[in-house]
Amino acid sequence: NAGVTQTPKFQVLKTGQSMTLQCAQDMNHNSMYWYRQDPGMGLRLIYYSASEGTTDKGEVPNGYNVSRLNKREFSLRLESAAPSQTSVYFCASSEWYRLEDTQYFGPGTRLTVL
Amino acid sequence: KNEVEQSPQNLTAQEGEFITINCSYSVGISALHWLQQHPGGGIVSLFMLSSGKKKHGRLIATINIQEKHSSLHITASHPRDSAVYICAAPKDGNQFYFGTGTSLTVIP
């Protein structure tokens, strides 16, 4: 089992360009999450999908859109990238959207917006 | 205002030392998570605990819900323990308030 996979691992964009970060999990998990991690700040939730067919905003959703393509895949799209979106992005999944469920993280995507 | 505060921010230890990382939180919670972020960036969940103490190998986590404080201890520290340790307090559902992490370096 690969767990949670993310593509790409690294990406450099110019301001205004768009891109989609891909995430997939093979653990048959129902819930998936997108976070960003910036120096000196804790992980911040961008969007989450508590179950297939639903998506909800997290703490910092502005400038992003998501798609829960199926139970396995949850993508994050930047329509018009800005330098403030330079960050490391992590996808995670959990069996259910419950306090006691462990989240499993992908390896991260390091995004630089010039 | 940070709902979760960790101390210290950075910690350097000699191999074999006993290490303590602290986490204080201001929200009312019933459990707390500890995560480990490897130097390469990968994040793994270490513990979820709601009371008392949990042990996994050389790692021990304790929590005092009334005092809103948790500690992560590492006994007989080793260079491979070098990582960022993050505590996280549940918000609702499976959302969290994350601490900013404690960066630990263990020197041989």
Side-chain angles (χ1 to χ4, degrees), chain B residues 12-13 19 31-32 35-36 41 46 59 62 70 72 79 81-82 99 101:
Chain B
T12 301
I19 288 161
L32 188 104
L35 311 171
Q36 179 191 55
L46 295 174
L59 273 60
T62 63
S70 177
L72 178 67
D81 297 325
S82 298

Side-chain angles (χ1 to χ4, degrees), chain A residues 33 37 48 97-99 101 103, chain B residues 37 41 90 93-95 98:
Chain A
Y33 314 83
Q37 186 179 41
Y48 68 99
Y97 185 67
R98 297 176 305 192
L99 161 65
D101 288 315
Q103 290 192 17
Chain B
Q37 184 167 23
N94 205 317
Q95 294 187 48
F98 290 94

Side-chain angles (χ1 to χ4, degrees), chain A residues 42-59:
Chain A
L43 288 160
R44 291 185 292 170
L45 184 64
I46 304 171
Y47 271 94
Y48 68 99
S49 171
S51 61
E52 187 181 358
T54 70
T55 59
D56 284 287
K57 295 178 181 179
E59 185 184 352

Side-chain angles (χ1 to χ4, degrees), chain B residues 16-65:
Chain B
E17 283 186 7
F18 180 83
I19 288 161
T20 296
I21 298 168
N22 296 299
C23 176
S24 297
Y25 51 91
S26 57
V27 292
I29 64 168
S30 57
L32 188 104
H33 293 247
W34 281 99
L35 311 171
Q36 179 191 55
Q37 184 167 23
H38 299 293
I43 300 172
V44 296
S45 179
L46 295 174
F47 296 104
M48 184 189 75
L49 66 165
S50 54
S51 65
K53 180 165 73 173
K54 277 193 177 179
K55 187 172 188 287
H56 184 249
R58 293 179 295 103
L59 273 60
I60 304 166
T62 63
I63 190 168
N64 186 317
I65 292 285

